[in-house]
Amino acid sequence: MTAQRRPLIAGNWKMNGLRATAMPLAGELATKMNNADDAFFDMLVCPPATLLEAVNDLALETNLAVGGQDCHMNTSGAHTGDISAEMLKDMGCAYVIVGHSERRADHAESDEVVKSKAEAALAAGLIAIVCVGETEAERDKGITIDVVAAQILGSLPEGATAANTVAAYEPVWAIGTGRTPTSDEVQEVHAMMRKTLAEKIGADEADKMRLLYGGSVKPSNAVELMGLADVDGALVGGASLSHTDFWAIAESCPK
Ligand code: PEP
């Protein structure tokens, strides 16, 4: 973390949430963000599509940002069940996650597909959160750095800048498992990502781009993870469903 990168704490609610529980959760976070005059981080929630409109309405004119969990690469057409980046923007979203490992695994999304989705996001005026991360087998083989570097290069949208793109390192084996890499391992990957980005988009943009860590982030490990030199926030799954845990993670970011 450096002064030039404002932390981003992003909650991925995945396929969780009905109005009865999700709206109070979003309401608590919006209120906390608005009362925190000196909030030194940006906060984002990514609800399931069914709640996007209601959460966007609630977050309107608050400092809580709302995003989608995925978007289609096309703007419209015969893609039953899909949502375009333009539709997310139209609804009030500011961000969209692309390339989450659950999408890569469940929907066979390649780097090429993720890149197209990220480009659709940028074209619609959304900030793309591009996810990358190795599987446990890849880590065991000692190829984490190569795998993540290839994913970053393959998934980064054309025209990526620090203002329109965020990269999230999420080791697949750390998601929802309660396990995390060591701090040294996280920092090693993030430093490599920044170097790879510098070669691709220039050192200036790479230095300004926010790199999130995701995978079993919780209040008890957030201070250490958020304090790492090249970690600029978190992408949080399970713990984002509790406003107290999510807020505690946000407050763990160095000021
Ligand atoms: C995620 O799905 O992006 C994630 C990081 O999940 P969790 O925090 O539950 O590991």
Side-chain angles (χ1 to χ4, degrees), residues 12 14 100 102 170 174-178 214-217 235-239:
N12 174 14
K14 311 194 190 195
H100 190 281
E102 288 154 14
E170 298 205 306
I175 294 181
T177 60
S216 295
V217 178
L235 180 52
V236 186

Side-chain angles (χ1 to χ4, degrees), residues 26 29-31 33-34 55-66:
L29 295 171
T31 304
M33 276 308 275
N34 269 15
V55 175
N56 264 305
D57 286 352
L58 179 149
L60 210 67
E61 289 171 27
T62 77
N63 296 326
L64 180 68
V66 182

Side-chain angles (χ1 to χ4, degrees), residues 134-144 146-147:
E134 82 286 3
T135 62
E136 186 155 28
E138 288 163 342
R139 177 157 284 273
D140 290 346
K141 273 197 236 156
I143 56 171
T144 296
D146 293 343
V147 167

Side-chain angles (χ1 to χ4, degrees), residues 29-116:
L29 295 171
T31 304
K32 280 188 164 121
M33 276 308 275
N34 269 15
N35 291 344
D37 313 326
D38 59 344
F40 52 93
F41 47 79
D42 292 334
M43 181 168 273
L44 163 71
V45 291
C46 298
T50 49
L51 292 168
L52 274 176
E53 184 162 18
V55 175
N56 264 305
D57 286 352
L58 179 149
L60 210 67
E61 289 171 27
T62 77
N63 296 326
L64 180 68
V66 182
Q69 297 177 9
D70 177 54
C71 66
H72 198 275
M73 64 182 77
N74 295 341
T75 46
S76 61
H79 303 290
T80 303
D82 280 317
I83 297 176
S84 72
E86 201 176 41
M87 290 168 176
L88 292 173
K89 180 74 177 174
D90 187 48
M91 199 175 261
C93 291
Y95 291 79
V96 63
I97 299 169
V98 292
H100 190 281
S101 60
E102 288 154 14
R103 298 282 322 173
R104 289 180 185 261
D106 296 355
H107 301 269
E109 291 187 5
S110 62
D111 287 335
E112 203 180 1
V113 167
V114 174
K115 180 178 185 211
S116 301

Side-chain angles (χ1 to χ4, degrees), residues 1 9 213 217 222-228 231 233-234 249 252-254:
M1 175 70 53
I9 300 298
Y213 168 76
V217 178
V223 171
E224 187 169 344
L225 289 165
M226 297 304 107
L228 297 171
V231 173
I249 291 169
S252 302
C253 295

